[in-house]
Amino acid sequence: QVQLVESGGGLVQAGGSLRLSCAASGRTFSNYRMAWFRRAPGKERDIVASIASSGLGTYYADSVKGRFTISRDNAKNTVYLQMISLVPEDTAVYYCAATRAVNGPYTYWGQGTQVTVSS
């Protein structure tokens, strides 16, 4: 089992920045590919960004490229999502997720943290 706890969400004005953190416990963090997903009101949960277990490979959804940066600190068992130039469309509950599989489904999820961007 892997336990994931997100933090860092909140209310921010458009154009502002936030950094989300996800602390992992329970298994060897460096064995897991990590990702951030989000679910906006009335929409399905979509992947925002992911990072390889080594930290050497990343993926970003087109909607966040150039604005969001995913990173990880394997010594601290933590993955981050730095978000800049936020827009109201970024408003969502953000979830941290983990998987052992290179391309498989994410099997561990955090409880989510709310990000609200006001116009």
Side-chain angles (χ1 to χ4, degrees), residues 7-111:
S7 62
L11 174 63
V12 63
Q13 288 188 331
S17 302
L18 281 175
R19 188 177 82 154
L20 305 182
S21 299
C22 173
S25 61
R27 291 291 177 94
T28 305
F29 178 71
S30 59
N31 289 342
Y32 290 81
R33 182 177 187 88
M34 302 297 296
W36 288 96
F37 288 74
R38 69 185 180 187
R39 176 175 284 159
K43 296 186 178 181
E44 295 189 354
R45 186 169 57 192
D46 292 323
I47 190 166
V48 174
S50 67
I51 187 166
S53 57
S54 64
L56 296 180
T58 57
Y59 161 85
Y60 295 95
D62 288 343
S63 58
V64 306
K65 282 181 181 176
R67 300 189 300 120
F68 290 11
T69 303
I70 189 170
S71 62
R72 65 191 295 161
D73 186 336
N74 285 347
K76 295 183 178 180
N77 290 355
T78 303
V79 63
Y80 305 97
L81 186 68
Q82 178 69 51
M83 307 183 292
I84 66 170
S85 301
L86 286 161
V87 297
E89 291 73 25
D90 294 319
T91 295
V93 178
Y94 283 71
Y95 299 90
C96 176
T99 180
R100 283 288 306 264
V102 174
N103 292 311
Y106 287 85
T107 51
Y108 299 102
W109 296 85
Q111 81 288 351

